[in-house]
Short mmCIF file of all heavy atoms in Angstrom, two decimals:
data_model
loop_
_atom_site.label_atom_id
_atom_site.label_comp_id
_atom_site.label_asym_id
_atom_site.label_seq_id
_atom_site.Cartn_x
_atom_site.Cartn_y
_atom_site.Cartn_z
N VAL K 1 67.29 154.95 58.83
CA VAL K 1 67.21 156.22 59.61
C VAL K 1 66.79 155.89 61.01
O VAL K 1 65.73 155.31 61.18
CB VAL K 1 66.23 157.23 58.94
CG1 VAL K 1 66.15 158.50 59.80
CG2 VAL K 1 66.68 157.54 57.54
N TRP K 2 67.64 156.26 61.97
CA TRP K 2 67.42 155.83 63.38
C TRP K 2 67.31 157.08 64.24
O TRP K 2 68.21 157.89 64.30
CB TRP K 2 68.71 155.06 63.79
CG TRP K 2 68.60 154.30 65.06
CD1 TRP K 2 68.82 154.81 66.36
CD2 TRP K 2 68.38 152.90 65.27
NE1 TRP K 2 68.72 153.79 67.27
CE2 TRP K 2 68.49 152.60 66.64
CE3 TRP K 2 68.16 151.84 64.37
CZ2 TRP K 2 68.31 151.32 67.13
CZ3 TRP K 2 68.00 150.58 64.85
CH2 TRP K 2 68.10 150.33 66.23
N THR K 3 66.17 157.28 64.87
CA THR K 3 65.86 158.49 65.61
C THR K 3 65.51 158.18 67.05
O THR K 3 64.65 157.31 67.28
CB THR K 3 64.74 159.32 64.95
OG1 THR K 3 65.05 159.54 63.59
CG2 THR K 3 64.53 160.64 65.65
N ILE K 4 66.17 158.84 68.00
CA ILE K 4 65.81 158.75 69.39
C ILE K 4 65.47 160.16 69.87
O ILE K 4 66.26 161.06 69.79
CB ILE K 4 66.96 158.15 70.22
CG1 ILE K 4 67.38 156.79 69.72
CG2 ILE K 4 66.57 158.04 71.68
CD1 ILE K 4 68.65 156.21 70.38
N SER K 5 64.22 160.31 70.38
CA SER K 5 63.77 161.63 70.80
C SER K 5 64.45 161.96 72.12
O SER K 5 64.70 161.04 72.91
CB SER K 5 62.28 161.66 70.97
OG SER K 5 61.84 160.85 72.03
N GLY K 6 64.69 163.19 72.34
CA GLY K 6 65.30 163.60 73.63
C GLY K 6 66.27 164.73 73.45
O GLY K 6 66.74 164.99 72.33
N PRO K 7 66.61 165.40 74.54
CA PRO K 7 67.52 166.53 74.50
C PRO K 7 68.99 166.08 74.33
O PRO K 7 69.54 165.49 75.25
CB PRO K 7 67.31 167.25 75.83
CG PRO K 7 66.82 166.17 76.73
CD PRO K 7 66.08 165.18 75.89
N VAL K 8 69.58 166.30 73.15
CA VAL K 8 70.91 165.79 72.89
C VAL K 8 71.98 166.43 73.75
O VAL K 8 73.02 165.85 73.90
CB VAL K 8 71.24 165.93 71.43
CG1 VAL K 8 70.38 165.05 70.57
CG2 VAL K 8 71.23 167.36 70.97
N ASP K 9 71.70 167.63 74.32
CA ASP K 9 72.74 168.25 75.16
C ASP K 9 72.90 167.52 76.46
O ASP K 9 73.94 167.54 77.11
CB ASP K 9 72.42 169.74 75.38
CG ASP K 9 71.04 170.02 75.88
OD1 ASP K 9 70.13 169.16 75.62
OD2 ASP K 9 70.81 171.05 76.49
N ILE K 10 71.86 166.80 76.90
CA ILE K 10 71.92 166.04 78.18
C ILE K 10 71.97 164.57 77.88
O ILE K 10 72.67 163.82 78.64
CB ILE K 10 70.71 166.34 79.10
CG1 ILE K 10 70.73 167.85 79.45
CG2 ILE K 10 70.72 165.48 80.33
CD1 ILE K 10 69.51 168.33 80.17
N LEU K 11 71.34 164.14 76.87
CA LEU K 11 71.34 162.70 76.45
C LEU K 11 71.93 162.60 75.05
O LEU K 11 71.22 162.56 74.02
CB LEU K 11 69.90 162.17 76.45
CG LEU K 11 69.11 162.29 77.75
CD1 LEU K 11 67.64 161.87 77.52
CD2 LEU K 11 69.72 161.48 78.84
N PRO K 12 73.29 162.63 74.92
CA PRO K 12 73.94 162.69 73.62
C PRO K 12 73.65 161.52 72.69
O PRO K 12 73.92 161.59 71.50
CB PRO K 12 75.40 162.74 73.98
CG PRO K 12 75.49 163.00 75.43
CD PRO K 12 74.19 162.62 76.05
N PHE K 13 73.08 160.45 73.20
CA PHE K 13 72.75 159.31 72.37
C PHE K 13 71.43 159.53 71.62
O PHE K 13 71.03 158.80 70.76
CB PHE K 13 72.72 158.01 73.13
CG PHE K 13 71.89 158.07 74.41
CD1 PHE K 13 70.55 157.91 74.41
CD2 PHE K 13 72.55 158.33 75.63
CE1 PHE K 13 69.80 158.01 75.53
CE2 PHE K 13 71.83 158.40 76.79
CZ PHE K 13 70.46 158.24 76.77
N CYS K 14 70.72 160.65 71.95
CA CYS K 14 69.52 161.01 71.24
C CYS K 14 69.89 161.70 69.95
O CYS K 14 70.99 161.99 69.67
CB CYS K 14 68.64 161.92 72.12
SG CYS K 14 67.98 161.08 73.58
N GLY K 15 68.82 161.95 69.15
CA GLY K 15 69.05 162.56 67.84
C GLY K 15 68.81 161.60 66.75
O GLY K 15 68.36 160.46 66.93
N GLN K 16 69.20 161.97 65.55
CA GLN K 16 69.00 161.14 64.39
C GLN K 16 70.36 160.67 63.81
O GLN K 16 71.28 161.44 63.68
CB GLN K 16 68.23 161.88 63.30
CG GLN K 16 67.81 161.04 62.14
CD GLN K 16 66.89 161.77 61.20
OE1 GLN K 16 67.38 162.50 60.34
NE2 GLN K 16 65.57 161.59 61.41
N ARG K 17 70.41 159.39 63.43
CA ARG K 17 71.55 158.85 62.76
C ARG K 17 71.01 158.26 61.42
O ARG K 17 69.97 157.66 61.37
CB ARG K 17 72.23 157.70 63.51
CG ARG K 17 72.60 157.98 65.01
CD ARG K 17 73.41 159.19 65.15
NE ARG K 17 74.05 159.32 66.47
CZ ARG K 17 73.44 159.76 67.61
NH1 ARG K 17 72.16 160.04 67.61
NH2 ARG K 17 74.09 159.85 68.70
N ALA K 18 71.81 158.48 60.38
CA ALA K 18 71.44 157.88 59.09
C ALA K 18 72.49 156.96 58.58
O ALA K 18 73.69 157.21 58.70
CB ALA K 18 71.24 159.06 58.08
N GLY K 19 72.08 155.83 58.09
CA GLY K 19 72.97 154.82 57.56
C GLY K 19 73.34 153.77 58.63
O GLY K 19 73.42 154.06 59.79
N LYS K 20 73.63 152.60 58.11
CA LYS K 20 73.96 151.46 59.01
C LYS K 20 75.17 151.71 59.82
O LYS K 20 75.23 151.45 61.04
CB LYS K 20 74.15 150.23 58.14
CG LYS K 20 74.38 148.95 58.85
CD LYS K 20 74.47 147.80 57.81
CE LYS K 20 74.35 146.46 58.41
NZ LYS K 20 74.33 145.42 57.40
N ASP K 21 76.22 152.34 59.23
CA ASP K 21 77.47 152.58 59.98
C ASP K 21 77.23 153.56 61.12
O ASP K 21 77.76 153.41 62.20
CB ASP K 21 78.54 153.15 59.06
CG ASP K 21 79.03 152.11 58.08
OD1 ASP K 21 78.87 150.87 58.29
OD2 ASP K 21 79.66 152.49 57.04
N GLY K 22 76.45 154.62 60.88
CA GLY K 22 76.13 155.59 61.94
C GLY K 22 75.36 154.97 63.08
O GLY K 22 75.61 155.25 64.22
N VAL K 23 74.44 154.12 62.74
CA VAL K 23 73.64 153.45 63.75
C VAL K 23 74.50 152.47 64.63
O VAL K 23 74.40 152.45 65.85
CB VAL K 23 72.43 152.70 63.15
CG1 VAL K 23 71.70 151.86 64.19
CG2 VAL K 23 71.45 153.72 62.53
N MET K 24 75.35 151.73 63.89
CA MET K 24 76.20 150.80 64.66
C MET K 24 77.18 151.55 65.55
O MET K 24 77.46 151.09 66.65
CB MET K 24 76.91 149.84 63.68
CG MET K 24 75.95 148.90 62.94
SD MET K 24 74.89 147.90 64.05
CE MET K 24 76.11 146.91 64.91
N LYS K 25 77.66 152.70 65.10
CA LYS K 25 78.55 153.55 65.94
C LYS K 25 77.80 153.96 67.18
O LYS K 25 78.32 153.95 68.27
CB LYS K 25 79.10 154.68 65.18
CG LYS K 25 80.05 155.60 65.96
CD LYS K 25 80.54 156.76 65.17
CE LYS K 25 81.46 157.66 66.01
NZ LYS K 25 80.80 158.37 67.09
N LEU K 26 76.55 154.40 66.98
CA LEU K 26 75.76 154.83 68.14
C LEU K 26 75.61 153.70 69.14
O LEU K 26 75.78 153.90 70.32
CB LEU K 26 74.33 155.25 67.63
CG LEU K 26 73.27 155.37 68.72
CD1 LEU K 26 73.56 156.63 69.56
CD2 LEU K 26 71.90 155.47 68.09
N LEU K 27 75.24 152.51 68.61
CA LEU K 27 74.96 151.38 69.50
C LEU K 27 76.21 150.75 70.18
O LEU K 27 76.19 150.27 71.25
CB LEU K 27 74.18 150.31 68.73
CG LEU K 27 72.83 150.74 68.23
CD1 LEU K 27 72.22 149.71 67.36
CD2 LEU K 27 71.88 151.08 69.37
N MET K 28 77.30 150.82 69.43
CA MET K 28 78.57 150.15 69.91
C MET K 28 79.48 151.10 70.66
O MET K 28 80.28 150.64 71.51
CB MET K 28 79.29 149.49 68.75
CG MET K 28 78.50 148.34 68.12
SD MET K 28 79.27 147.66 66.68
CE MET K 28 80.69 146.81 67.38
N GLN K 29 79.41 152.42 70.38
CA GLN K 29 80.36 153.36 70.97
C GLN K 29 79.72 154.47 71.73
O GLN K 29 79.98 154.74 72.91
CB GLN K 29 81.32 153.96 69.91
CG GLN K 29 82.16 152.91 69.20
CD GLN K 29 82.92 153.54 68.04
OE1 GLN K 29 82.96 154.77 67.89
NE2 GLN K 29 83.48 152.70 67.20
N ASP K 30 78.80 155.21 71.03
CA ASP K 30 78.24 156.42 71.63
C ASP K 30 77.41 156.20 72.85
O ASP K 30 77.60 156.75 73.93
CB ASP K 30 77.43 157.22 70.58
CG ASP K 30 78.28 157.64 69.39
OD1 ASP K 30 79.51 157.60 69.51
OD2 ASP K 30 77.67 157.97 68.37
N SER K 31 76.39 155.30 72.70
CA SER K 31 75.50 154.99 73.84
C SER K 31 76.24 154.35 75.01
O SER K 31 76.03 154.75 76.18
CB SER K 31 74.35 154.12 73.38
OG SER K 31 73.49 153.85 74.42
N PRO K 32 77.09 153.36 74.76
CA PRO K 32 77.84 152.77 75.89
C PRO K 32 78.79 153.71 76.62
O PRO K 32 79.18 153.41 77.75
CB PRO K 32 78.61 151.61 75.21
CG PRO K 32 77.86 151.29 73.99
CD PRO K 32 77.30 152.63 73.55
N THR K 33 79.11 154.85 76.07
CA THR K 33 79.91 155.86 76.74
C THR K 33 79.18 156.37 77.95
O THR K 33 79.78 156.68 78.95
CB THR K 33 80.23 157.05 75.80
OG1 THR K 33 80.99 156.52 74.72
CG2 THR K 33 81.02 158.12 76.49
N PHE K 34 77.86 156.43 77.92
CA PHE K 34 77.04 156.94 78.97
C PHE K 34 76.31 155.89 79.75
O PHE K 34 76.12 156.06 80.96
CB PHE K 34 75.98 157.95 78.42
CG PHE K 34 76.62 159.15 77.75
CD1 PHE K 34 76.92 159.15 76.40
CD2 PHE K 34 77.03 160.20 78.56
CE1 PHE K 34 77.51 160.23 75.84
CE2 PHE K 34 77.67 161.30 77.95
CZ PHE K 34 77.92 161.29 76.60
N LEU K 35 75.94 154.77 79.11
CA LEU K 35 75.13 153.76 79.77
C LEU K 35 75.77 152.38 79.62
O LEU K 35 76.22 152.03 78.51
CB LEU K 35 73.71 153.70 79.17
CG LEU K 35 72.90 154.99 79.23
CD1 LEU K 35 71.59 154.78 78.42
CD2 LEU K 35 72.62 155.37 80.65
N SER K 36 75.82 151.65 80.65
CA SER K 36 76.25 150.23 80.58
C SER K 36 75.08 149.34 81.00
O SER K 36 74.12 149.80 81.58
CB SER K 36 77.50 150.00 81.46
OG SER K 36 77.12 150.17 82.85
N ASP K 37 75.27 148.07 80.76
CA ASP K 37 74.25 147.07 81.14
C ASP K 37 72.86 147.46 80.69
O ASP K 37 71.86 147.19 81.35
CB ASP K 37 74.28 146.86 82.66
CG ASP K 37 75.60 146.46 83.19
OD1 ASP K 37 76.26 145.68 82.53
OD2 ASP K 37 75.98 146.98 84.26
N ARG K 38 72.74 148.07 79.48
CA ARG K 38 71.46 148.50 78.95
C ARG K 38 70.56 147.28 78.63
O ARG K 38 71.08 146.34 78.00
CB ARG K 38 71.65 149.34 77.69
CG ARG K 38 70.39 149.86 77.13
CD ARG K 38 70.69 150.54 75.77
NE ARG K 38 71.36 149.60 74.92
CZ ARG K 38 70.79 148.94 73.92
NH1 ARG K 38 69.57 149.17 73.61
NH2 ARG K 38 71.51 148.10 73.20
#
């Protein structure tokens, strides 16, 4: 269970993800959509 606090309407990578596949999607696709060179 992977949780990032923050307003999801402005920071869509925030919120809770459950399961390895959901977390890997967050890290490989969702977050890089908004941020690079993290």
Side-chain angles (χ1 to χ4, degrees):
V1 176
W2 192 278
T3 306
I4 302 173
S5 68
V8 295
D9 53 335
I10 297 172
L11 305 171
F13 49 85
C14 291
Q16 188 173 85
R17 309 306 193 281
K20 186 177 193 175
D21 290 342
V23 171
M24 292 308 294
K25 180 181 179 293
L26 167 71
L27 297 173
M28 296 175 69
Q29 296 173 14
D30 299 344
S31 182
T33 298
F34 297 93
L35 301 174
S36 65
D37 305 319
R38 182 189 54 104

